[in-house]
Amino acid sequence: MPGKEISSLEEILDHPKVKNAIDDINAEMLERRAYSPLQCEVFSHPYSVLRETDRYQFELDRQAEKLLPDIIGNKVQLIEGKDSLDDDLARQYGKKRNIGIVFSGGPAPGGHNVIAGLFDAAKRANPDSKVYGFLVGPDGIIENEAVELSDDLVAKYRNLGGFTMIKTGRTKIDTSEKMALSRETCRRLDLDALVVVGGDDSNTNAAFLAQEMLADGVQVLGVPKTIDGDIQVRDVNGNVLCAMSFGFHSAARAFASTIGNLCTDSSSDIKYWHICKVMGRVASHLALEVALQTHANMTLIGEDLADYTDKARLEKARANQTTDYNAYGITLRHLSRVVCEAIVRRAAVGKNYGVIVIPEGVLEFVNEIQVFIIKLNTIIAEYNRTHDKDFHSTFRPLDDKLEYLRRLAQRSREDSSFTLWNTRDDDLFNDIPSFFQEGLLTERDNHGNFQFSQVETEKVLLGLVKDYLNILKEEGRYKIGIRKDYFRKRMEHAGLDPDRYGAALFNNYGVDEYLRVKPAIISVKTLNQALKEAGLLKAGEKIPADVEKIFKKSMPSFKTQIHFYGYDGRGNDPTRFDCLYTYNLGLTVFSLIANGATGQMAAIKNLDMDFSRWEPIGIPIAPLMHLEERKGKLALVIEKSIVDVNSIAFRVVKAQREEWLGAAPGDDHYRRPGPIRFTGKSEEDRPITLELNAIGRSDS
Ligand code: FBP
C-alpha cells in the first residue's frame, strides 16, 4: 500500500527520518559520551596519598633556583591508593574546595576528559566542591571570566575532542599587572587550586604562577598537553617519567588516516606526488609517528637533517687543512636535492607518484633558516626595546621591513662592530621568495615562538625541488622507467623488432625490468636523431607511433597536491588511548590538589606499557626549566623534547627508509592505519613510537 504523500516543508521537517538526519547529535557522539574510561588501580580506592621519592634526579638551572625558590626543591610524587585515612587527613582530603581549570595553547584531543576526571574526583571527594572553567584561555583568569562546571555541561563533552567547553587562548601571564589581576581573580573565586592544561610554555607559566600564588595559598598544577608530543620528561639518568603529552596519539592517528588514504589514491591514479605538511612546531614526533603508521614514501625528520654532515665538503676542507663549518647541518638547497633524488629514483621504476611527509618545523633544522630565525628574533626584539615601539606595527608592509633590514646591512658595512645583519645576510634574504620573507618576519607568538604554522614551508622546499627536477629533466636524468613487458608488447603489436629498438632507446635494455630511456633522448627531435643513428629511421621517415608513445610515456611531469594537516587533527575526537590517559590525568591532578601539592605537573608513568601498569605521578615543574632564546632574550622555559635520533622508533624508520621509498619494481609498502576506531578490537593501544621506544627498557 503506498504511503501517505508528504508535500509540505513542515511535514518533511516533521518526519522522524528527517529529524534524525538533521539532529546535531549522532550515534557516535552518544556512544562517546556514555563511555566511562577505566581508572588506574590507585583511584579505585576512596583516597589517594602522595609519597615523595628521591629516585629521580634533575639538573637544576641556576636561574630557576633564583626565580622559583619555593618550588625548585619539589620532588617526584608517587600516588598510592588508600581505603582509609586518619581523621585529620580524611577531613583535609575531602574538604570543600574551589578549583579553577584553564586550557592554554592549541587544542589537543582529550582536554575535556581532563576536566571530566578532575570534576568527578573533586565531586566524589566532596559534592559541595566547585570546579570553575576559565573561558578562552589565560585571558579568562586575568579578566575573571569563568563558568562553574555542572554535571550536565561536563557530560556533554565526555570523550569528545576540542576544547569547545571552555575554549582556549595563547595569552601568557607574564607581566606584574597580569599576575596581579590573576591573583585577584583567584581571591574573588576563593580558589584553592588552579589547573593549567598546556604545553611547555603554559606549564612554564604554571610554575611561575605556583611560585607567585604560594603566599595566597593557591596551589597551581600543570597537565602536559600538546599534539606536538614535545613534552616528554626524563630525569638525568634517562628514566622516563612522562613518555608523551596527551593529544599526540589522536592527532597522529587522524593525520595518518588521511595520509594513508592519499597513499592509496596516489598509487591508484599514479599521477600525483602528495606533499603533506604535518603540524609540530619544532619537533618532528608527529611526522615520525605518521611514517610508522603509513609507510609513506618519504618522511623528513628535522632532527635527523640537523645531524647531517656533508662529507665531501669536510674532506675538501681537511685536504686544505681548514675546517668548513658549513659542512655541518643541511641547507635548503641540499635538502631539495635529497627530495629530488627520491623522486627521480621512483620514476626510474615507473612510479612518478608518491607521498612525502614534511614536519611543519623542518626549517628550524635547516642551517641558513635557523640563522635567519635567530637573527630576526634578535633584531625585532632589539627594535622593540630600543624604540619602545612594536616592530610589526611600525613596519607594516613587507617592503618597509626589508628596507629596515637593508639599512642595518648598510650600518654593518660602515661600522664593522655591528654584525647582526650584514650585506651577505641581506643578499641571501633577498634571494628567497617574498611569501617566505613575509613568513620569516611574521610576529612571534605570546611566548616568543616562531609561528611555523603560518609559513608555507612546503612551498619553499617545493619551489627548489621543481627547479632542480626541471634541470634533471633537461639533462635526461629524470625519466619514467618503462616496463619491459609493456615495451615488448607495444613493439610486437606495431610489427617492430623490440631488441633493435630497445637497444637504441634504452641504456639498460636486457638488464632491468624497468627500462630507462637514454639521457640524450629528451625530445622528439633527439629521439629522431637516436633512431637515425641506430639505422632505424631514414631521412624523411616518420617515427613509428608506438615508439613515440613509449618516449612520451618516459617523459615525466611533476604534478603535486599540497596538504596541510594540523588543525583538523587537533580537533579530532580522542582515541581510546587519549580518553583513558586524559581521564586519569584529571584524577591525578585532583589527587595532587587534595594532598596539598603545588608546582607539580600531573603525569602517568609507564604509558608505553599495558594499562594495568600505568602509574599516576606528580612531576616537579621547576627542575625541568632551562634558559632558551625567546624574542631575542634568554628566558626560563621547560625544555622541548625533540626526536632523539638514537631512539628505537627513529632508528626503525631510518632502517625502513629504502623499503618505504619503494624505488624498486613491485608494489609500495604502504600501511593502512584506517580511521580512529572508538569501538571494536582493531584500534591500537598506544602510539607506535611509544611501543617501539619501550623495547629494551628493563621494566617493559
Ligand atoms: P601547543 O604547543 O599550544 O599545543 O600548539 C601546538 C600547535 O598545534 C603546533 O603544532 C602549531 O604550530 C601551532 O599549535 C599552531 O598555532 P595556532 O593555533 O596559533 O595557529
Side-chain angles (χ1 to χ4, degrees):
M1 203 175 84
K4 183 177 162 273
E5 203 174 301
I6 294 175
S7 53
S8 77
L9 183 59
E10 231 168 44
E11 278 175 312
I12 292 173
L13 292 176
D14 221 27
H15 194 284
K17 280 194 178 165
V18 176
K19 279 189 159 169
N20 188 38
I22 61 174
D23 196 344
D24 290 345
I25 297 159
N26 61 5
E28 165 86 5
M29 202 171 184
L30 290 173
E31 202 173 354
R32 280 186 169 268
R33 282 177 177 171
Y35 172 75
S36 304
L38 292 174
Q39 303 184 18
C40 293
E41 198 279 331
V42 294
F43 300 126
S44 62
H45 304 265
Y47 304 102
S48 59
V49 294
L50 304 184
R51 190 162 53 80
E52 193 165 285
T53 176
D54 276 324
R55 204 189 312 158
Y56 307 104
Q57 308 292 326
F58 302 93
E59 211 172 288
L60 304 185
D61 185 281
R62 286 247 188 93
Q63 189 72 353
E65 287 179 309
K66 210 166 112 194
L67 298 181
L68 302 164
D70 298 314
I71 56 167
I72 192 76
N74 279 359
K75 300 271 161 48
V76 169
Q77 303 287 341
L78 305 179
I79 298 181
E80 288 173 0
K82 290 274 180 210
D83 289 327
S84 62
L85 288 180
D86 292 349
D87 284 355
D88 273 359
L89 283 178
R91 214 170 301 120
Q92 180 61 22
Y93 191 93
K95 80 170 196 182
K96 175 182 171 296
R97 289 186 164 81
N98 293 329
I99 302 170
I101 186 162
V102 66
F103 288 138
S104 178
H112 289 137
N113 272 24
V114 176
I115 293 186
L118 169 67
F119 181 84
D120 291 352
K123 293 285 184 184
R124 208 180 298 142
N126 187 329
D128 292 331
S129 286
K130 290 181 178 171
V131 181
Y132 294 98
F134 285 107
L135 301 176
V136 200
D139 276 338
I141 309 179
I142 297 167
E143 295 168 6
N144 193 1
E145 283 288 316
V147 54
E148 188 189 333
L149 306 183
S150 63
D151 276 331
D152 286 350
L153 186 61
V154 175
K156 198 171 153 196
Y157 292 100
R158 284 180 193 267
N159 304 300
L160 293 178
F163 284 177
T164 340
M165 188 200 294
I166 53 173
K167 329 290 178 210
T168 186
R170 286 199 183 275
T171 297
K172 185 178 178 186
I173 303 177
D174 57 352
T175 61
S176 46
E177 196 196 342
K178 288 187 214 167
M179 189 60 86
L181 289 168
S182 303
R183 289 174 77 169
E184 179 58 21
T185 298
C186 294
R187 262 195 294 274
R188 278 176 189 264
L189 292 176
D190 195 18
L191 284 198
D192 296 279
L194 172 64
V195 178
V196 179
V197 181
D200 49 340
D201 291 323
S202 309
N203 273 283
T204 297
N205 217 193
F208 282 96
L209 289 170
Q211 172 66 44
E212 199 69 26
M213 295 196 186
L214 202 68
D216 305 343
V218 180
Q219 299 160 250
V220 183
L221 288 311
V223 178
K225 166 240 64 161
T226 175
I227 61 161
D228 291 5
D230 55 14
I231 305 192
Q232 299 176 12
V233 183
R234 283 178 175 72
D235 76 345
V236 277
N237 299 314
N239 294 305
V240 181
L241 293 165
C242 170
M244 191 55 75
S245 49
F246 82 76
F248 168 81
H249 185 232
S250 315
R253 282 284 287 107
F255 299 157
S257 166
T258 322
I259 292 174
N261 294 345
L262 290 179
C263 293
T264 307
D265 189 81
S266 164
S267 55
S268 303
D269 80 345
I270 63 168
K271 66 173 184 240
Y272 290 124
W273 270 95
H274 291 274
I275 315 296
C276 308
K277 179 169 86 165
V278 300
M279 262 192 187
R281 200 203 310 265
V282 175
S284 310
H285 299 293
L286 282 166
L288 186 70
E289 179 70 17
V290 167
L292 287 161
Q293 293 269 352
T294 63
H295 305 179
N297 301 109
M298 190 177 203
T299 302
L300 304 178
I301 300 295
E303 292 81 342
D304 173 45
L305 301 176
D307 238 24
Y308 177 84
T309 41
D310 189 334
K311 294 207 179 76
R313 226 173 152 152
L314 270 188
E315 282 308 314
K316 200 169 153 202
R318 214 167 278 144
N320 294 333
Q321 294 186 329
T322 58
T323 313
D324 183 348
Y325 292 105
N326 290 327
Y328 298 100
I330 202 152
T331 62
L332 206 47
R333 179 180 292 268
H334 195 100
L335 179 58
S336 69
R337 303 295 189 260
V338 173
V339 174
C340 287
E341 191 195 304
I343 293 167
V344 167
R345 286 186 55 211
R346 270 180 70 83
V349 292
K351 300 173 186 171
N352 193 33
Y353 62 86
V355 175
I356 301 182
V357 178
I358 302 180
E360 180 186 58
V362 73
L363 296 181
E364 172 95 10
F365 297 94
V366 171
N367 264 353
E368 68 267 35
I369 307 300
Q370 205 176 26
V371 172
F372 276 146
I373 291 175
I374 295 174
K375 286 196 171 199
L376 293 172
N377 279 355
T378 314
I379 287 168
I380 294 169
E382 282 222 345
Y383 180 89
N384 293 348
R385 240 192 326 270
T386 50
H387 294 78
D388 198 21
K389 275 198 280 185
D390 176 47
F391 178 86
H392 296 282
S393 329
T394 315
F395 305 106
R396 282 188 192 279
L398 176 64
D399 280 346
D400 289 3
K401 293 186 175 96
L402 293 179
E403 178 53 32
Y404 180 73
L405 291 176
R406 209 164 296 137
R407 273 188 274 130
L408 287 186
Q410 196 179 342
R411 195 174 130 201
S412 90
R413 236 190 349 254
E414 288 158 7
D415 168 5
S416 53
S417 64
F418 178 83
T419 52
L420 198 53
W421 192 258
N422 54 37
T423 326
R424 190 175 131 71
D425 292 323
D426 208 49
D427 289 347
L428 280 175
F429 198 70
N430 280 308
D431 263 1
I432 61 183
S434 57
F435 77 87
F436 188 32
Q437 290 176 329
E438 199 127 31
L440 288 168
L441 283 161
T442 51
E443 213 162 334
R444 277 45 178 164
D445 76 1
N446 284 331
H447 297 269
N449 293 305
F450 183 77
Q451 305 200 58
F452 278 105
S453 58
Q454 320 241 335
V455 181
E456 290 170 297
T457 313
E458 64 290 356
K459 259 203 195 168
V460 179
L461 185 61
L462 216 54
L464 290 172
V465 166
K466 281 186 175 159
D467 288 350
Y468 192 54
L469 282 179
N470 277 336
I471 294 176
L472 292 176
K473 196 168 158 182
E474 274 165 28
E475 290 175 353
R477 290 196 279 156
Y478 175 29
K479 293 267 173 69
I480 302 178
I482 304 291
R483 196 160 42 82
K484 88 178 168 207
D485 294 350
Y486 175 79
F487 170 70
R488 284 197 85 83
K489 211 165 110 193
R490 293 258 48 103
M491 292 301 101
E492 280 161 10
H493 169 259
L496 302 170
D497 179 353
D499 291 340
R500 288 193 65 205
Y501 277 87
L505 286 175
F506 306 111
N507 61 3
N508 60 342
Y509 186 72
V511 180
D512 295 318
E513 194 183 331
Y514 277 84
L515 305 174
R516 285 189 305 277
V517 168
K518 289 179 176 169
I521 306 176
I522 51 165
S523 59
V524 174
K525 199 169 154 199
T526 47
L527 170 66
N528 195 303
Q529 214 170 318
L531 293 176
K532 277 187 187 148
E533 277 165 19
L536 292 166
L537 204 66
K538 297 204 182 78
E541 270 181 355
K542 272 185 79 182
I543 299 171
D546 284 80
V547 174
E548 192 167 329
K549 188 170 174 187
I550 293 279
F551 161 71
K552 286 196 171 145
K553 259 183 176 297
S554 79
M555 291 303 281
S557 68
F558 179 60
K559 287 198 204 154
T560 54
Q561 295 290 345
I562 296 181
H563 315 264
F564 176 29
Y565 297 110
Y567 301 100
D568 48 344
R570 277 191 348 189
N572 214 93
D573 284 334
T575 55
R576 273 198 313 245
F577 169 83
D578 271 328
C579 287
L580 269 186
Y581 180 18
T582 47
Y583 188 73
N584 280 282
L585 279 174
L587 301 177
T588 306
V589 86
F590 177 75
S591 181
L592 292 168
I593 293 170
N595 285 284
T598 192
Q600 300 279 131
M601 184 166 79
I604 310 277
K605 202 169 159 282
N606 299 342
L607 275 182
D608 42 19
M609 296 180 200
D610 184 72
F611 177 72
S612 58
R613 299 183 63 187
W614 284 17
E615 268 181 43
I617 55 169
I619 302 176
I621 308 177
L624 311 179
M625 305 271 195
H626 80 152
L627 286 172
E628 212 173 86
E629 183 275 331
R630 291 294 170 92
K631 293 191 177 171
K633 280 194 292 191
L634 284 178
L636 209 52
V637 288
I638 295 181
E639 190 169 5
K640 266 193 202 335
S641 173
I642 58 174
V643 170
D644 174 4
V645 289
N646 295 312
S647 66
I648 295 188
F650 176 74
R651 282 161 63 200
V652 167
V653 168
K654 192 171 176 184
Q656 290 304 107
R657 250 180 208 162
E658 188 58 23
E659 179 157 314
W660 294 348
L661 174 63
D667 283 342
D668 284 298
H669 297 275
Y670 299 137
R671 177 178 181 270
R672 293 173 183 244
I676 291 172
R677 293 167 288 265
F678 191 62
T679 47
K681 291 195 177 138
S682 54
E683 182 62 82
E684 63 198 19
D685 288 334
R686 58 189 62 85
I688 304 178
T689 311
L690 288 199
E691 200 81 62
L692 294 179
N693 286 343
I695 298 174
R697 272 183 46 201
S698 55
D699 46 359
S700 68

